[in-house]
Amino acid sequence: VVSMLTPAWVPVALSPHILGSWACRQIPKYFSYEEYHETTDAELKEAHDAGKRFILVAHPHGVFSFCGVCGFIASVSSNNGVANLATEVPTAAASVLRFFPLLKDLLGVFGVIDASAAVLKSRLSRRRGSFVLYVGGIAELFASSSQREAVYLNKRKGFIKLALRTGGDVIPAYFFGNTTVLSVLKAGPLAALSRKLGVSVTLFWGRWGLPVPKPVKLVYARGRPLGLPQIDEPTDADVEQWHAKYCDAVKTLFDNYKVRNPDYAHKELELC
């Protein structure tokens, strides 16, 4: 009840204090977290302060993005990072999340915004309107395994069209470990409901068979901006061209950094 009555702005306002706290700074250590930037925090901060807008496109989804959490904490704690990351670069998520007590407050610390097309277009059209987008969605949760890594991207082209129309740019990011930190039940009615709602309500487990994340290695790899032009009315050919370039960039990013995580070194990336 308390959670449902808590205004959405409260966790956002507390975000810098929570993510910068001593307790939160221990989370990356638990996972032996590492990050590799082809575009540095300083470069992104300079571009952001100058009013440029980016979609940081994150792959894959996972039950919960522990790698994304570590990235947020590292950025907030860095001298070159963005202190108010929750408001400056929020994460787009399914609107249904606001009806889940506690979860809405937990995610609110990361400045969650509605992932609807109208909201994202409005944000990307304004100055400093960057955001994080898990473009593959919850479907990726059920596609990967210990032998196979899959991201849903072949038919996900709306983010490219949005960036072209608004003059924004896209940056690929791969979160190695998001699909290994927790195991998940991939069949049955709860799995089907998860796909329908766009949020994980299926059974999952980790350390000791409990819903406790396994202390696996997490690696965040961030590529370079794709360099999209602004096209007010992009044609299907324009979208296809830049979507193909983005797919190539994601595969290259995966292949270049998978050796940094022993759970992924043997894997090949499949685009679905």
Side-chain angles (χ1 to χ4, degrees), residues 51-117:
K52 295 183 179 180
R53 295 96 63 208
F54 300 101
I55 305 176
L56 183 68
V57 188
H59 310 272
H61 194 285
V63 176
F64 185 79
S65 185
F66 287 99
C67 196
V69 168
C70 290
F72 253 79
I73 293 170
S75 182
V76 169
S77 304
S78 170
N79 291 331
N80 291 323
V82 180
N84 296 319
L85 203 59
T87 54
E88 295 291 329
V89 190
T91 299
S95 59
V96 70
L97 288 173
R98 70 177 184 269
F99 299 111
F100 286 77
L102 300 180
L103 181 59
K104 74 175 186 66
D105 300 313
L106 173 62
L107 296 179
V109 173
F110 304 98
V112 171
I113 60 173
D114 190 349
S116 68

Side-chain angles (χ1 to χ4, degrees), residues 241-259:
Q241 175 189 352
W242 287 100
H243 181 263
K245 290 183 179 181
Y246 180 80
C247 290
D248 289 341
V250 171
K251 288 189 285 187
T252 299
L253 191 68
F254 181 89
D255 290 338
N256 286 348
Y257 294 98
K258 66 180 183 179
V259 296

Side-chain angles (χ1 to χ4, degrees), residues 116-154:
S116 68
V119 171
L120 298 186
K121 180 180 180 181
S122 174
R123 180 167 184 86
L124 202 60
S125 298
R126 66 183 178 87
R127 191 174 185 273
R128 297 168 62 143
S130 301
F131 57 87
V132 179
L133 178 66
Y134 289 82
V135 70
I138 203 68
E140 291 176 339
L141 177 62
F142 304 99
S144 297
S145 68
S146 59
Q147 300 299 321
R148 173 178 181 260
E149 189 74 1
V151 297
Y152 275 75
L153 191 55
N154 287 342

Side-chain angles (χ1 to χ4, degrees), residues 36-39 56 171-174 220-225 253 257:
Y36 298 91
H37 303 157
E38 295 179 1
T39 306
L56 183 68
I171 302 175
Y174 209 92
Y220 165 27
R222 183 172 67 217
R224 299 288 304 174
L253 191 68
Y257 294 98

Side-chain angles (χ1 to χ4, degrees), residues 28-40:
K29 297 178 183 178
Y30 175 81
F31 293 111
S32 300
Y33 171 76
E34 295 178 0
E35 54 184 49
Y36 298 91
H37 303 157
E38 295 179 1
T39 306
T40 66

